[in-house]
Amino acid sequence: SSVTDSETLGNAPITVSGADVTFTGTIIGEDQNSIQLILRRTSSGTDGNTSIKFEQPLGDGYLGVNASGSLAFGTAADLSTNKFTVTRAGDVGIGTSLPDTLLHVKAADTVTGVIKIEGGKNTVTSAGEINSQLDFGSNDGSVNNSGNVGGRISSITENTNGALVGMAFSTFQQSRAVDLQEAMRITNAGNVGIGTTLPENKLHVQQAGLFTGIQSTAGIRIKSDGASAIDNYHGTIALSRGTGSV
C-alpha cells in the first residue's frame, strides 16, 4: 500500500507531505514479523534521511534515520542539528552525531560539558544516606557479590538534614568481609580520610591495629627517586604553625 500527499491509509491519521516520500508496504494494526509500521524512503533526496516530524508551537522535532544509518533525534529537518544519536554500532551521542565511545556527551563551543546525576530522598533524615553514585563495573566474573561493580564514587550525606555532603570512594576486593567497601572519603569540609570516614584533619590515615612506625601498614611514606635502597627513603615532612616551623 502507498499514500501520497493529503491521503490517509484506511482510518489511520497519517498524512504524507513531500513528493519523494511514500509509505510502501505499510501495515498498521496487523502483525508482520513484529513490525507494525514501516516508513520507507524511495529516493535519496538531498540529505539521505528518513524522518518523522513532530510539530509544536515552540519548535519542531524530528526522529529518523540519517544518511549514515544512525537513529537520530534532532531539531532540523535534515537531522543536521542532532540532539541525540544512536549509531549502528550502539554508541550514544548527546550533542554529537559521531560518538567516539559508548556514551559521548559534547557541548557546543564556549559551553561547559556537564553530566548531572541527581537522586536521594526529598528530605534527608540521617547521615550516611547516598544521594547519587557512579559505579564502575567489570565483565570479569571474579568481581562478584557486588553486581559486578569494581569501584564506586558516591555523594553521601554527612548530616541529618542533608546540609553537609561528602564524597565516598569505594574499591573491590574478592572474599573481603565486605567485597565493595569505602576506601577514601572527602568530607564536606575538604578533609581527606584514608581508612576512615571521619577524617579529623586535612589528611587522616587510619589503620586498625598498633601504629609502630615504619613497620606499620598505616602511615605516610615520602619516597624519592634515588637509585639505592637508602636513597629511596629520603624525604621531608614539614610541620608549620604561623610563621614558624618545627
Side-chain angles (χ1 to χ4, degrees):
S1 303
S2 297
V3 292
T4 58
D5 289 359
S6 301
E7 292 186 10
T8 59
L9 180 63
N11 296 320
I14 297 177
T15 299
V16 177
S17 178
D20 64 337
V21 179
T22 61
F23 280 91
T24 303
T26 303
I27 306 296
I28 297 178
E30 180 181 334
D31 188 17
Q32 184 188 39
N33 298 326
S34 300
I35 300 174
Q36 277 69 51
L37 174 63
I38 301 172
L39 174 61
R40 179 177 299 147
R41 186 165 192 159
T42 58
S43 63
S44 60
T46 58
D47 50 47
N49 301 317
T50 301
S51 62
I52 300 173
K53 180 181 180 181
F54 300 89
E55 294 185 347
Q56 206 270 354
L58 297 180
D60 299 335
Y62 298 84
L63 165 62
V65 177
N66 62 25
S68 63
S70 297
L71 181 65
F73 301 77
T75 55
D78 61 357
L79 297 179
S80 59
T81 310
N82 292 353
K83 303 301 182 181
F84 184 89
T85 300
V86 182
T87 69
R88 297 186 69 81
D91 295 341
V92 175
I94 300 176
T96 176
S97 59
L98 298 171
D100 297 328
T101 56
L102 286 175
L103 176 60
H104 183 169
V105 179
K106 182 178 181 180
D109 183 29
T110 73
V111 178
T112 301
V114 177
I115 297 177
K116 182 178 181 179
I117 304 175
E118 183 174 350
K121 292 182 178 178
N122 289 337
T123 302
V124 171
T125 57
S126 62
E129 293 180 13
I130 303 297
N131 299 314
S132 303
Q133 67 186 32
L134 182 62
D135 286 351
F136 299 88
S138 171
N139 290 330
D140 192 315
S142 299
V143 183
N144 51 16
N145 301 323
S146 63
N148 288 96
V149 176
R152 172 175 292 165
I153 301 176
S154 306
S155 167
I156 185 169
T157 60
E158 296 182 329
N159 197 34
T160 55
N161 64 1
L164 305 176
V165 180
M167 299 298 295
F169 298 79
S170 301
T171 60
F172 177 90
Q173 185 182 111
Q174 190 184 61
S175 301
R176 189 163 54 187
V178 179
D179 293 338
L180 181 69
Q181 69 179 27
E182 185 173 334
M184 185 176 76
R185 172 73 64 92
I186 302 177
T187 69
N188 65 89
N191 291 349
V192 177
I194 300 176
T196 176
T197 61
L198 298 170
E200 299 172 1
N201 305 97
K202 287 299 179 184
L203 178 60
H204 183 166
V205 180
Q206 181 172 313
Q207 172 72 27
L210 296 176
F211 189 97
T212 57
I214 199 169
Q215 298 300 320
S216 172
T217 57
I220 301 173
R221 174 178 295 178
I222 299 178
K223 185 177 180 181
S224 72
D225 294 327
S228 68
I230 295 177
D231 288 339
N232 280 341
Y233 285 97
H234 284 180
T236 301
I237 297 179
L239 308 176
S240 64
R241 180 177 182 181
T243 58
S245 62
V246 294

